[in-house]
Coordinates of all heavy atoms in Angstrom, one line a residue:
P1544 N 80.4 121.2 23.5 CA 80.0 120.1 24.3 C 80.9 118.9 24.0 O 81.3 118.7 22.9 CB 78.5 119.8 23.9 CG 78.3 120.6 22.7 CD 79.4 121.6 22.5
I1545 N 81.1 118.0 25.0 CA 81.9 116.8 24.7 C 81.0 115.6 24.7 O 80.0 115.6 25.3 CB 83.1 116.6 25.7 CG1 82.6 116.5 27.1 CG2 84.1 117.8 25.6 CD1 83.4 115.6 27.9
D1546 N 81.5 114.5 24.0 CA 80.8 113.3 24.0 C 81.6 112.2 24.7 O 82.8 112.4 25.0 CB 80.3 112.9 22.6 CG 81.5 112.8 21.6 OD1 82.7 112.8 22.1 OD2 81.3 112.8 20.4
E1547 N 81.0 111.0 24.8 CA 81.7 109.9 25.5 C 83.0 109.5 24.9 O 84.0 109.3 25.5 CB 80.8 108.7 25.6 CG 79.6 108.9 26.5 CD 78.8 107.6 26.6 OE1 79.2 106.5 26.2 OE2 77.6 107.7 27.2
K1548 N 83.0 109.5 23.6 CA 84.2 109.1 22.8 C 85.3 110.1 23.1 O 86.5 109.6 23.3 CB 83.8 109.1 21.3 CG 84.5 108.0 20.6 CD 84.0 107.9 19.1 CE 85.2 107.6 18.2 NZ 84.8 107.7 16.8
T1549 N 85.0 111.4 23.1 CA 86.1 112.3 23.4 C 86.6 112.2 24.8 O 87.8 112.2 25.1 CB 85.5 113.8 23.2 OG1 84.9 113.8 21.9 CG2 86.6 114.8 23.3
F1550 N 85.7 112.0 25.7 CA 86.0 111.9 27.1 C 87.0 110.7 27.4 O 88.0 110.7 28.0 CB 84.8 111.7 28.0 CG 85.1 111.6 29.5 CD1 85.6 112.7 30.2 CD2 85.0 110.4 30.1 CE1 85.9 112.7 31.5 CE2 85.3 110.3 31.5 CZ 85.7 111.5 32.2
N1551 N 86.6 109.6 26.7 CA 87.4 108.3 26.8 C 88.9 108.5 26.5 O 89.7 107.9 27.0 CB 86.8 107.4 25.8 CG 86.9 105.9 26.2 OD1 86.8 105.6 27.4 ND2 87.1 105.1 25.3
K1552 N 89.1 109.5 25.6 CA 90.5 109.7 25.1 C 91.4 110.3 26.2 O 92.6 110.4 26.1 CB 90.5 110.7 23.9 CG 90.1 110.1 22.7 CD 90.3 111.0 21.5 CE 89.5 110.6 20.3 NZ 88.9 111.7 19.6
Y1553 N 90.8 110.8 27.3 CA 91.6 111.4 28.4 C 91.8 110.5 29.6 O 92.3 110.9 30.6 CB 90.9 112.7 28.8 CG 91.0 113.8 27.7 CD1 90.1 113.8 26.7 CD2 92.1 114.6 27.7 CE1 90.2 114.8 25.7 CE2 92.2 115.5 26.7 CZ 91.3 115.6 25.7 OH 91.4 116.5 24.6
L1554 N 91.3 109.3 29.4 CA 91.4 108.3 30.5 C 92.8 107.6 30.4 O 93.4 107.6 29.3 CB 90.3 107.2 30.5 CG 88.9 107.8 30.7 CD1 87.9 106.7 30.4 CD2 88.7 108.1 32.2
Y1555 N 93.3 107.0 31.5 CA 94.5 106.2 31.4 C 94.4 105.1 30.4 O 95.4 104.6 29.8 CB 94.9 105.6 32.8 CG 95.2 106.6 33.9 CD1 94.4 106.5 35.1 CD2 96.2 107.5 33.7 CE1 94.7 107.4 36.1 CE2 96.5 108.4 34.7 CZ 95.7 108.4 35.9 OH 96.0 109.2 36.9
T1556 N 93.2 104.6 30.2 CA 93.0 103.4 29.3 C 92.7 103.8 27.9 O 92.2 103.0 27.1 CB 91.9 102.6 29.9 OG1 90.7 103.4 30.0 CG2 92.2 101.9 31.2
K1557 N 92.9 105.1 27.5 CA 92.6 105.5 26.1 C 93.2 104.5 25.1 O 94.3 103.9 25.4 CB 93.2 106.9 25.9 CG 94.7 107.0 26.1 CD 95.1 108.4 25.7 CE 96.6 108.5 25.8 NZ 97.1 108.7 27.1
D1558 N 92.6 104.3 24.1 CA 93.1 103.3 23.0 C 92.8 101.9 23.4 O 93.2 101.0 22.6 CB 94.5 103.6 22.6 CG 94.9 105.0 22.3 OD1 94.0 105.6 21.7 OD2 96.0 105.4 22.6
M1559 N 92.3 101.6 24.6 CA 92.1 100.2 24.9 C 90.6 99.9 24.9 O 89.8 100.8 25.3 CB 92.6 99.9 26.3 CG 94.1 100.1 26.5 SD 94.6 99.8 28.2 CE 96.1 100.8 28.3
P1560 N 90.3 98.7 24.6 CA 88.8 98.3 24.8 C 88.5 98.2 26.2 O 89.4 98.0 27.1 CB 88.8 96.9 24.1 CG 90.1 96.4 24.1 CD 91.1 97.5 24.1
D1561 N 87.2 98.4 26.6 CA 86.8 98.3 28.0 C 87.0 96.8 28.4 O 87.0 95.9 27.5 CB 85.3 98.6 28.1 CG 85.0 100.1 28.0 OD1 86.0 100.9 28.2 OD2 83.9 100.5 27.7
P1562 N 87.2 96.6 29.7 CA 87.3 95.2 30.1 C 86.1 94.3 29.8 O 85.0 94.8 30.1 CB 87.6 95.2 31.6 CG 87.2 96.6 32.0 CD 87.3 97.5 30.8
D1563 N 86.3 93.2 29.2 CA 85.2 92.3 29.0 C 84.8 91.5 30.2 O 83.7 91.2 30.5 CB 85.6 91.2 27.9 CG 85.9 91.9 26.6 OD1 85.1 92.5 26.0 OD2 87.1 91.9 26.2
L1564 N 85.9 91.2 30.9 CA 85.7 90.3 32.1 C 86.5 90.9 33.3 O 87.7 91.2 33.1 CB 86.3 88.9 31.8 CG 86.4 87.9 32.9 CD1 85.0 87.5 33.5 CD2 87.0 86.6 32.3
I1565 N 85.9 91.1 34.4 CA 86.6 91.5 35.6 C 86.5 90.4 36.7 O 85.4 89.9 37.0 CB 85.9 92.8 36.2 CG1 86.1 94.0 35.2 CG2 86.6 93.2 37.5 CD1 85.6 95.3 35.6
I1566 N 87.6 90.0 37.1 CA 87.8 88.9 38.1 C 88.1 89.4 39.4 O 89.0 90.3 39.6 CB 88.9 87.9 37.6 CG1 88.5 87.3 36.2 CG2 89.1 86.8 38.7 CD1 89.5 86.4 35.6
R1567 N 87.4 89.0 40.5 CA 87.8 89.3 41.8 C 87.9 88.1 42.7 O 86.8 87.6 43.1 CB 87.0 90.4 42.5 CG 87.5 90.8 43.9 CD 86.9 92.0 44.5 NE 87.7 92.4 45.6 CZ 87.7 93.6 46.2 NH1 87.0 94.6 45.6 NH2 88.5 93.9 47.2
P1568 N 89.0 87.6 43.1 CA 89.1 86.5 44.0 C 89.0 87.1 45.5 O 88.8 88.3 45.6 CB 90.5 85.9 43.8 CG 91.3 87.0 43.2 CD 90.4 88.0 42.6

Side-chain angles (χ1 to χ4, degrees):
I1545 61 146
D1546 55 17
E1547 289 184 14
K1548 213 171 146 191
T1549 309
F1550 182 71
N1551 212 36
K1552 286 190 197 137
Y1553 291 87
L1554 295 167
Y1555 294 125
T1556 53
K1557 59 174 183 280
D1558 307 326
M1559 298 178 202
D1561 287 341
D1563 301 292
L1564 172 63
I1565 297 184
I1566 296 174
R1567 182 165 194 162

